[in-house]
Amino acid sequence: MKTVAVIGASSDRSKFGNKALRAFRNNGYKVVPINPTETEVEGEPVFRSVLDYEGEIDEATMYVNPRVGEKVLDDIAAKKIGTVWLNPGADGPTVVARAKALGLNAIRACSIIAIGDSPSRY
């Protein structure tokens, strides 16, 4: 079972940070919600940073604005997360440049669609 960090996980079910958490979980992933202002999302405990999670994380999917995303990439690199999804809206040019500078495997695409699901289901 792969573990995915949902950066920008939200308790608001209309937000993509919530839809992604549910989609990944429904598709057999272990989800690690990341958000410094939430404590629980969809019954999952939330971590302030990927660095606060003690286990291994295979992928991260980002649902934050580019200003936040640039800073989060340093934590993703430090955690040695193999793949980071830069979803629409989180994939600003500065984020893409920073991911490249850090040597991250960054994919600019909707991660929900990439796992064979649809955001409209959630």
Side-chain angles (χ1 to χ4, degrees), residues 87-103:
N87 292 278
D91 64 345
T94 57
V95 175
V96 173
R98 183 71 183 143
K100 186 175 184 176
L102 290 168

Side-chain angles (χ1 to χ4, degrees), residues 35-108:
N35 187 320
T37 63
E38 298 269 4
T39 57
E40 183 180 291
V41 173
E42 298 293 325
E44 303 283 347
V46 178
F47 297 85
R48 294 181 58 79
S49 161
V50 293
L51 298 175
D52 293 333
Y53 180 74
E54 292 185 13
E56 195 172 303
I57 298 173
D58 301 296
E59 301 179 5
T61 184
M62 291 181 55
Y63 292 93
V64 293
N65 74 52
R67 269 179 316 173
V68 173
E70 277 185 80
K71 297 171 186 163
V72 171
L73 288 173
D74 290 324
D75 291 349
I76 289 170
K79 185 76 174 174
K80 297 186 181 354
I81 296 173
T83 300
V84 59
W85 293 90
L86 303 176
N87 292 278
D91 64 345
T94 57
V95 175
V96 173
R98 183 71 183 143
K100 186 175 184 176
L102 290 168
L104 296 172
N105 177 26
I107 301 169
R108 294 176 76 182

